[in-house]
């Protein structure tokens, strides 16, 4: 749907939500001084989005808030900001930064990592777009490591700006393997230049989430710990202003619990405890936080933080007011806001630059690979048994079972886990395309298998069942009354991807989840092929690499013996199955049954 018209300059900024803020009016020791405003723009969690397009639905992107996405839209906002500032000949040129998670997340990015890898010579579409827009620096995100170091290094070489990561360190020496920071000299008419130091930090969770790609090669120190080392070095190198681009959410929480000694989300903690940082571009949490001001406990100075919404929906705008203090530039005022990308049209230059790449991927994802005997939807997968997730579990368990033939584990029953990644996913009756199948599995996870006991499986399912809020009675309940319960490690609610559903292969696994009971005592009637699971019974469990490496901090799976790991992507296994068989028949892969109860009685949940 087309909702926008071409607007530019001040009109574009006003429509995007821009609010002019008066410049700082004070001066050193109360005496008025000349104030210079430095503007810094920021994006984060772009996740492979250039166009305002949903490759899984094959239509323009839209959501309930009517957000738009992609770098082509961001480019229009960036140009409007630059034009506004250029109109004031006294103002220094603005800077543009990114806080990571750039090269993974859409079929566009997947295609140029796996189908036609950029290591073969093609320029990554995200590199091409960011170069055209004119970024000054970007921080590494955790998803930069999903496709391995060869793809990441090639992407890095294709950029015309530095890719920063002060806490991405050599496994042996501890030295940074990406530039920790960069200095940008910004011209100020009639004055000495402002030297801006940009410090990049990424998420320590990479050590868990991409263990297969980084173990024995890279390690990742804590964000606060490494900022304490590098922020003073950036100052010593001559920076008048220090901006941290950090792929870590605002407030303290860690999806991996205590599996690492460093928190996953630590941007505010860093701002409060590491002196010398003036502003923080925040990423990773996929939240929209226009402005947060905190006071550094050591220096007493304020720090401004902003996180723009994911996928290019928003552009953060920092305004830093500087004055000369004893001959040196000093930040004396700070402010931030976000601009909404759904108010502007896509930059036609960015569109033209990458239209061929986009068209190639659209053709790829829409190619027919088989048929389906009846429609399968994941819309209700978080609260009831569905054929859609049975299909995912069947594919995983089937691949592991075939690979274990002739091994000591071949006689063990095989189970699999799957999470409801995408409630909008559906495989239609009739023709099935790559995008239909890929929509069920939107992450680039690989398949592993471990051995676990019956007791461990029950504990695993109990941990998973923390996802549900505690409710009583038969309902009906709205889904948001039942799902996404807050926990100590997910204070804003457990995401769907951290709720695992378990099923069998040759025989069904069945269980009930009593959500009237407290978390930790909810799993009842756990049975395999109708027989109660014994505590010492042994199973092979197919899992994804994120979960096996500790993602979500589920019990036992990280330390369980690995019996299968061929680095095969689960989504590709699903596509290959449909291509090879030519048909998806939900009746052939019923992997079990689970249901929600309240004090043992069935409950009703509606969307």
């Amino acid at each position: 749907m087309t909702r926008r018209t071409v607007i530019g300059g001040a009109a574009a900024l006003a429509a995007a939500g821009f609010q002019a803020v008066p410049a700082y009016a004070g001066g050193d020791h109360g005496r008025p001084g000349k104030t210079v405003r430095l503007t810094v723009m920021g994006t984060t969690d772009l996740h492979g989005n250039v166009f305002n397009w949903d490759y899984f639905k094959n239509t323009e992107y839209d959501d309930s808030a009517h957000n738009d996405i992609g770098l082509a839209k961001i480019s229009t906002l960036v140009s409007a900001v630059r034009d506004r500032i250029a109109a004031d000949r006294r103002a220094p040129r603005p800077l543009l930064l990114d806080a990571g998670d750039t090269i993974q997340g859409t079929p566009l990015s997947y295609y140029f990592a796996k189908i036609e890898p950029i290591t073969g010579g093609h320029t990554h579409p995200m590199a091409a777009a960011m170069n055209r827009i004119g970024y000054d620096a970007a921080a590494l995100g955790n998803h930069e490591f999903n496709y391995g170091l060869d793809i990441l290094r090639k992407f890095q070489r294709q950029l015309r700006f530095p890719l920063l990561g002060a806490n991405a360190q050599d496994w042996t020496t501890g030295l940074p393997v990406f530039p920790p920071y960069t200095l940008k000299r910004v011209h100020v008419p009639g004055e000495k230049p402002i030297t801006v130091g940009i410090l990049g930090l990424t998420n320590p969770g990479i050590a868990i989430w991409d263990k297969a790609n980084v173990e024995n090669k890279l390690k990742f120190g804590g964000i606060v710990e490494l900022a304490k080392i590098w922020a003073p070095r950036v100052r010593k190198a001559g920076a008048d202003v220090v901006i941290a681009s950090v792929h870590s959410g605002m407030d303290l929480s860690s999806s991996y619990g205590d599996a690492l000694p460093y928190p996953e989300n630590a941007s505010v903690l860093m701002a409060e405890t590491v002196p010398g940082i003036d502003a923080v571009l925040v990423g990773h949490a996929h939240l929209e936080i226009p402005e947060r001001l905190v006071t550094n406990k050591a220096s007493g100075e304020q720090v401004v933080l902003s996180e723009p919404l994911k996928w290019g929906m928003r552009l953060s705008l920092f305004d830093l007011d500087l004055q000369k203090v004893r001959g040196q530039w000093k930040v004396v005022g700070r402010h931030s806001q976000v601009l909404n990308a759904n108010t502007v049209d896509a930059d036609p230059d960015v569109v033209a630059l990458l239209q061929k790449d986009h068209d190639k991927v659209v053709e790829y994802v829409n190619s027919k690979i088989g048929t389906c005997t009846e429609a399968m939807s994941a819309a209700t997968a978080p609260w009831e048994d569905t054929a859609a997730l049975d299909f995912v579990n069947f594919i995983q368990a089937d691949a592991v079972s075939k690979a274990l033939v002739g091994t000591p584990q071949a006689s063990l029953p095989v189970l699999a886990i799957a999470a409801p990644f995408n409630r909008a996913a559906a495989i239609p009756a009739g023709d099935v395309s790559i995008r239909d199948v890929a929509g069920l599995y939107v992450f680039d996870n690989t398949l592993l298998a471990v051995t676990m006991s019956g007791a461990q499986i029950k504990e695993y399912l109990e941990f998973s069942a923390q996802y549900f809020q505690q409710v009583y009675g038969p309902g009906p309940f709205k889904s948001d009354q039942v799902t996404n319960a807050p926990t100590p490690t997910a204070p804003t609610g457990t995401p769907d991807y951290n709720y695992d559903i378990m099923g069998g292969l040759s025989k069904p696994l069945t269980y009930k989840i009593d959500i009237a009971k407290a978390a930790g005592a909810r799993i009842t009637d756990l049975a395999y092929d109708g027989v109660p699971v014994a505590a010492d019974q042994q199973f092979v469990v197919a899992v994804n690499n994120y979960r096996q490496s500790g993602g979500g901090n589920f019990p036992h799976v990280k330390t369980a013996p690995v019996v299968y790991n061929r680095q095969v992507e689960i989504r590709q296994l699903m596509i290959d199955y449909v291509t090879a068989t030519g048909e998806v028949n939900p009746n052939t892969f019923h992997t079990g049954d689970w249901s929600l109860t309240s004090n043992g009685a069935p409950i009703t949940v509606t969307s």
Side-chain angles (χ1 to χ4, degrees):
M1 108 179 68
T2 302
R3 300 183 297 273
R4 292 150 292 278
T5 58
V6 177
I7 54 177
L13 292 181
F18 173 77
Q19 295 182 341
V21 178
Y24 179 78
D28 189 19
H29 301 296
R31 294 190 299 273
K34 178 182 178 181
T35 298
V36 172
R37 172 161 290 180
L38 173 68
T39 297
V40 181
M41 300 172 282
T43 56
T44 191
D45 296 279
L46 293 167
H47 283 289
N49 286 288
V50 174
F51 296 86
N52 187 50
W53 192 256
D54 188 329
Y55 291 91
F56 298 117
K57 294 181 179 178
N58 197 38
T59 188
E60 181 181 352
Y61 179 86
D62 195 27
D63 60 22
S64 59
H66 299 307
N67 287 303
D68 284 354
I69 61 176
L71 275 171
K73 296 266 184 175
I74 288 294
S75 182
T76 302
L77 288 177
V78 168
S79 294
V81 172
R82 286 173 174 160
D83 289 346
R84 178 182 183 275
I85 291 172
D88 181 357
R89 296 184 178 181
R90 300 167 300 173
R93 77 171 185 88
L95 300 177
L96 177 59
L97 311 178
D98 185 78
D101 274 7
T102 304
I103 62 170
Q104 177 277 338
T106 62
L108 180 70
S109 53
Y110 177 82
Y111 186 91
F112 290 104
K114 291 294 186 179
I115 308 302
E116 188 182 328
I118 58 172
T119 47
H122 191 89
T123 300
H124 198 290
M126 296 301 287
M130 295 174 87
N131 288 339
R132 174 60 66 93
I133 296 168
Y135 276 75
D136 293 285
L140 289 160
N142 53 283
H143 283 288
E144 262 63 84
F145 294 84
N146 286 174
Y147 300 120
L149 295 180
D150 289 345
I151 291 287
L152 176 53
R153 288 300 192 186
K154 184 66 173 180
F155 173 70
Q156 180 190 21
R157 290 192 294 271
Q158 291 177 343
L159 298 175
R160 297 177 193 156
F161 53 88
L163 190 58
L164 308 175
N167 60 330
Q169 302 163 277
D170 181 84
W171 184 271
T172 303
T173 67
L175 296 174
V177 295
F178 290 83
Y181 68 93
T182 188
L183 297 177
K184 303 292 292 188
R185 290 172 65 84
V186 180
H187 176 68
V188 181
E191 295 281 357
K192 64 180 288 189
I194 299 169
T195 301
V196 182
I198 303 161
L199 174 65
L201 293 151
T202 192
N203 205 288
I206 297 164
I208 289 178
W209 304 321
D210 268 301
K211 180 179 178 181
N213 290 326
V214 301
E215 191 172 32
N216 296 318
K217 299 174 185 176
L218 305 182
K219 59 185 177 182
F220 299 86
I223 286 167
V224 174
E225 290 77 4
L226 270 296
K228 286 180 178 177
I229 293 172
W230 285 102
R233 294 183 183 180
V234 178
R235 289 284 181 184
K236 188 175 181 180
D240 301 303
V241 179
V242 175
I243 302 168
S245 183
V246 184
H247 196 75
S248 177
M250 292 271 188
D251 298 308
L252 282 173
S253 65
S254 295
S255 66
Y256 44 74
D258 59 1
L260 291 175
Y262 313 115
E264 177 180 354
N265 298 302
S267 288
V268 167
L269 179 64
M270 179 196 69
E272 289 177 334
T273 58
V274 180
I277 296 172
D278 297 296
V280 185
L281 175 63
V282 177
H284 184 61
H286 291 200
L287 298 176
E288 179 179 347
I289 304 177
E291 179 185 68
R292 184 175 295 183
L293 294 166
V294 302
T295 301
N296 185 270
K297 295 175 181 178
S299 68
E301 297 285 349
Q302 273 198 325
V303 185
V304 60
L305 304 92
S306 181
E307 181 178 4
L309 199 55
K310 64 184 179 180
W311 303 352
M313 294 177 180
R314 304 288 186 273
L315 176 71
S316 278
L317 201 63
F318 295 89
D319 286 326
L320 302 176
D321 291 337
L322 291 90
Q323 289 183 353
K324 289 278 194 64
V325 177
R326 290 182 288 277
Q328 299 297 319
W329 289 113
K330 176 180 172 59
V331 176
V332 293
R334 66 229 6 108
H335 174 71
S336 65
Q337 58 187 299
V338 296
L339 305 181
N340 194 331
N342 75 356
T343 62
V344 297
D345 287 272
D347 181 341
D349 290 340
V350 174
V351 171
L353 179 68
L354 293 166
Q355 190 68 55
K356 288 183 179 178
D357 286 356
H358 172 72
D359 291 345
K360 181 184 291 187
V361 174
V362 168
E363 180 180 4
Y364 166 73
V365 299
N366 282 285
S367 56
K368 176 186 172 181
I369 55 174
T371 61
C372 188
T373 59
E374 57 186 273
M376 298 189 298
S377 170
T380 61
W383 59 86
E384 67 180 12
D385 191 55
T386 62
L389 262 65
D390 280 349
F391 174 52
V392 178
N393 271 337
F394 170 81
I395 294 296
Q396 296 177 115
D398 183 59
V400 168
S401 179
K402 289 174 179 175
L404 292 180
V405 171
T407 71
Q409 294 81 26
S411 61
L412 296 179
V414 179
L415 309 177
I417 64 100
F421 291 145
N422 179 14
R423 297 189 189 189
I427 293 181
D431 290 347
V432 175
S433 66
I434 286 176
R435 69 177 172 87
D436 294 326
V437 176
L440 278 179
Y441 212 100
V442 295
F443 294 107
D444 301 317
N445 294 333
T446 58
L447 182 64
L448 294 92
V450 299
T451 55
M452 294 172 67
S453 69
Q456 290 173 330
I457 285 168
K458 187 173 187 298
E459 289 180 36
Y460 188 101
L461 290 172
E462 289 284 10
F463 184 91
S464 183
Q466 294 179 106
Y467 170 80
F468 294 105
Q469 301 178 54
Q470 192 170 15
V471 299
Y472 306 91
F477 300 102
K478 290 286 190 182
S479 60
D480 60 5
Q481 295 177 289
V482 172
T483 64
N484 306 103
T487 69
T489 57
T492 60
T494 304
D496 289 355
Y497 62 76
N498 270 346
Y499 171 55
D500 281 352
I501 294 155
M502 193 173 290
L505 177 62
S506 59
K507 296 174 183 177
L509 184 79
T510 55
Y511 57 95
K512 295 176 181 176
I513 305 173
D514 194 329
I515 57 176
K517 298 187 182 333
R522 292 177 163 178
I523 302 300
T524 66
D525 301 332
L526 177 62
Y528 180 72
D529 194 27
V531 179
V533 171
D536 61 351
Q537 190 172 356
Q538 293 296 302
F539 296 87
V540 171
V541 183
V543 299
N544 62 57
N545 65 298
Y546 173 81
R547 192 66 81 230
Q548 189 277 330
S549 62
N553 203 32
F554 278 62
H556 306 301
V557 66
K558 184 179 178 182
T559 56
V562 175
V563 295
Y564 170 92
N565 183 8
R566 296 187 179 179
Q567 294 292 295
V568 179
E569 290 180 353
I570 295 166
R571 178 172 53 209
Q572 195 59 48
L573 286 170
M574 296 164 64
I575 293 169
D576 291 346
Y577 172 85
V578 179
T579 304
T581 61
E583 182 181 83
V584 178
N585 183 346
N587 296 318
T588 64
F589 47 75
H590 184 66
T591 62
D593 189 31
W594 67 275
S595 61
L596 297 180
T597 64
S598 177
N599 287 319
I603 67 172
T604 301
V605 181
T606 63
S607 56

